[in-house]
Amino acid sequence: MSSNGNNGTNGNLPPGIKLPIYMDNHATTPTDPRVVEAMLPYFTQHFGNAASRNHQFGWEAEAAVETAREQIAKLIGATAKEIIFTSGATESDNLAIKGVAEMYREKGNHIITPVTEHKAVLDTCKRLEKYGYKVTYLPVKPDGLVDLNQLKDAFTDKTILVSIMAANNEIGVLQPVAEIGKLCRERGVLFHSDAVQALGKVPLDVNKMNLDLASLTAHKLYGPKGCGALYVRRRNPRVQISAIIDGGGHERGMRSGTLNVPGIVGFGKACEISRLEMPQESARIAALRDRLKDKLTGALDQVFINGSMEHRLPGNLNISFLYVEGESLLMGINDVAVSSGSACTSATLEPSYVLKSLGLGDDVAHSSIRFGIGRFNTEAEVDYVANRLIEVVSKLRELSPLYEMVKEGIDLSKIQWQTEGH
Ligand SMILES: *Cc1c(COP(=O)(O)O)cnc(C)c1O
């Protein structure tokens, strides 16, 4: 990619720039070298099975797992016993929602979730509909936030679970989790949150937020892939869930299977680093994000930020460039790794359902870019990316008759377009 020569500047890149540049930290993050270092002994030296109760190898592995459990719990104000290890947040979302649905079937069959959730939540809910559960898919406001009055109206006497993410993976919007938790608690309804994107980026406290279940994963906070957890509240109320994987009864019967000890050690270390560094790191990353936003909006007109700027993850910028074609836009910056408004399920070229739920048309969704700025991005990279984009968008717009008309002050909405059949 870096030798494509499409900007002709590979021989004289600005100092500190190495291509390609990674700015897709909502998809995954590089593993922090400190995390890798913590994991390494658990592949070779301390390779034991944490469930082996009668020798040193097992005890060492178990002790390491318990340390990690505490590190993870501490980042969200939980206790170690409330952390159940899984293979990642997709499994955690499935376990939370299917686990509650089965366990509380006698009590009711109604679940509430917004339309902007991750597919791991939405597709799980869709599956449950096939088995007789009723799901209310809440719309969101144009800024991406759930309307609390609409949520209040959605509760019925059959509601057993509300599942609302803490932070959105496309637009970075932070939902009012504490207020939602309060509404659920008042009604005796369990509250699950997919907290993957929020973990380690913004403060989370399961007690202040009245969270009953929360899905977490290591690889979005500089830990390894394939290692996640589900927080399951043990007191006030004691939450019970049915298992979806049966076997040796690991994780207090909620999730059988030999624990991924090196992954879990890495997950714990990643949480500890984030807990200690979050205040400074989030401020630094938010400043980089704002720098990118200011440069783009300062140099280009007809660009729009998607989702609330006020309630937002520090590293997220989701921005639409009107009057440019989405595919050409991405091709123009192919030495920068970002996601487009069409690529969340990259196999298809569907426009993003999250952007559409904010009221964006297909064209605008396609010409949108999600930036995920993270721990290892630098100011020099932000400046390089901003300049590249400004260049590419300006060039593409020179070729756009629509943009020309807008510049001349023609109101495109008042034009009667000639179409076939007229
Ligand atoms: C990445 C992500 C997931 C899936 O997590 P995995 O550990 O990759 O299965 C779920 N929810 C959100 C919001 C995510 O960003």
Side-chain angles (χ1 to χ4, degrees):
M1 285 281 204
S2 58
S3 58
N4 59 49
N6 70 356
N7 60 2
T9 58
N10 281 297
N12 53 0
L13 285 170
I17 296 297
K18 246 183 76 190
L19 299 180
I21 293 171
Y22 189 73
M23 268 195 201
D24 200 13
N25 285 282
H26 299 300
T28 193
T29 55
T31 312
D32 191 302
R34 294 169 289 180
V35 168
V36 176
E37 201 184 326
M39 291 170 68
L40 284 176
Y42 292 90
F43 288 100
T44 47
Q45 229 174 319
H46 309 300
F47 59 85
N49 185 327
S52 295
R53 284 286 148 78
N54 38 20
H55 51 68
Q56 177 95 21
F57 298 89
W59 302 329
E60 277 169 4
E62 192 192 14
V65 167
E66 292 320 306
T67 300
R69 224 186 273 283
E70 271 160 29
Q71 289 167 320
I72 297 162
K74 199 163 180 185
L75 184 54
I76 60 170
T79 61
K81 281 187 174 161
E82 295 174 308
I83 302 298
I84 304 300
F85 288 112
T86 66
S87 64
T90 300
E91 185 186 334
S92 301
D93 286 339
N94 272 265
L95 177 57
I97 297 168
K98 290 175 181 167
V100 165
E102 185 179 330
M103 185 59 79
Y104 294 85
R105 185 68 183 86
E106 306 273 89
K107 187 163 178 265
N109 66 343
H110 180 234
I111 296 168
I112 303 170
T113 195
V115 294
T116 50
E117 288 295 307
H118 192 272
K119 286 286 183 193
V121 167
L122 292 176
D123 288 353
T124 300
C125 288
K126 280 202 198 108
R127 165 96 47 196
L128 288 174
E129 285 184 284
K130 289 191 189 149
Y131 296 109
Y133 290 86
K134 305 275 180 248
V135 182
T136 299
Y137 298 98
L138 284 180
V140 293
K141 297 186 283 188
D143 65 1
L145 292 170
V146 165
D147 182 334
L148 294 179
N149 286 319
Q150 276 180 329
L151 171 60
K152 279 184 206 163
D153 291 343
F155 285 98
T156 74
D157 57 359
K158 291 273 186 281
T159 308
I160 51 174
L161 181 69
V162 169
S163 179
I164 299 182
M165 69 205 320
N168 186 273
N169 48 300
E170 288 190 40
I171 52 177
V173 160
L174 304 174
Q175 296 293 354
V177 175
E179 285 91 331
I180 294 165
K182 189 160 174 284
L183 293 178
C184 294
R185 189 59 58 83
E186 283 165 3
R187 288 161 179 76
V189 170
L190 294 178
F191 177 32
H192 165 249
S193 186
D194 178 332
V196 165
Q197 294 286 345
L199 186 70
K201 317 296 166 57
V202 293
L204 285 174
D205 186 306
V206 293
N207 293 317
K208 285 190 194 135
M209 294 171 163
N210 284 323
L211 282 165
D212 296 312
L213 300 129
S215 299
L216 315 172
T217 196
H219 77 101
K220 307 278 174 87
L221 83 159
Y222 314 99
K225 293 168 187 59
C227 186
L230 181 65
Y231 159 76
V232 184
R233 175 175 290 281
R234 269 167 70 87
R235 295 185 56 200
N236 310 315
R238 183 182 183 87
V239 176
Q240 291 184 290
I241 53 172
S242 300
I244 53 180
I245 295 181
D246 297 302
H250 308 73
E251 299 299 275
R252 303 193 352 261
M254 285 184 252
R255 204 284 194 172
S256 290
T258 300
L259 292 178
N260 168 5
V261 177
I264 288 168
V265 167
F267 191 3
K269 182 70 180 175
C271 286
E272 187 182 73
I273 294 171
S274 285
R275 183 174 59 79
L276 297 173
E277 299 183 356
M278 191 195 310
Q280 306 88 299
E281 176 167 89
S282 290
R284 186 187 77 88
I285 289 175
L288 288 182
R289 188 268 317 275
D290 290 341
R291 185 179 178 95
L292 178 61
K293 173 173 78 69
D294 292 346
K295 279 184 180 275
L296 294 174
T297 54
L300 298 166
D301 61 357
Q302 302 290 333
V303 297
F304 296 95
I305 312 287
N306 299 309
S308 167
M309 249 349 268
E310 188 188 343
H311 305 284
R312 196 182 196 99
L313 285 172
N316 177 277
L317 187 66
N318 190 307
I319 185 162
S320 300
F321 301 88
L322 271 59
Y323 311 110
V324 298
E325 204 253 315
E327 200 113 347
S328 318
L329 182 61
L330 277 190
M331 298 249 290
I333 54 159
N334 65 358
D335 45 16
V336 182
V338 291
S339 279
S340 85
S342 6
C344 209
T345 46
S346 259
T348 61
L349 257 180
E350 292 281 297
S352 147
Y353 65 91
V354 172
L355 294 181
K356 290 197 76 174
S357 75
L358 306 181
L360 271 64
D362 287 10
D363 279 13
V364 182
H366 280 305
S367 63
S368 304
I369 291 183
R370 173 188 73 177
F371 298 94
I373 296 175
R375 179 172 294 168
F376 301 106
N377 288 122
T378 63
E379 195 171 277
E381 287 179 331
V382 164
D383 291 352
Y384 176 83
V385 169
N387 291 337
R388 287 286 293 139
L389 256 172
I390 292 165
E391 204 179 301
V392 167
V393 170
S394 307
K395 249 189 211 142
L396 289 172
R397 281 180 173 172
E398 276 170 28
L399 308 171
S400 160
L402 284 183
Y403 182 68
E404 196 78 346
M405 290 164 82
V406 171
K407 281 300 244 194
E408 284 163 16
I410 299 169
D411 183 349
L412 295 182
S413 67
K414 299 235 163 71
I415 294 181
Q416 302 247 304
W417 299 100
Q418 199 83 25
T419 56
E420 272 173 61
H422 273 202

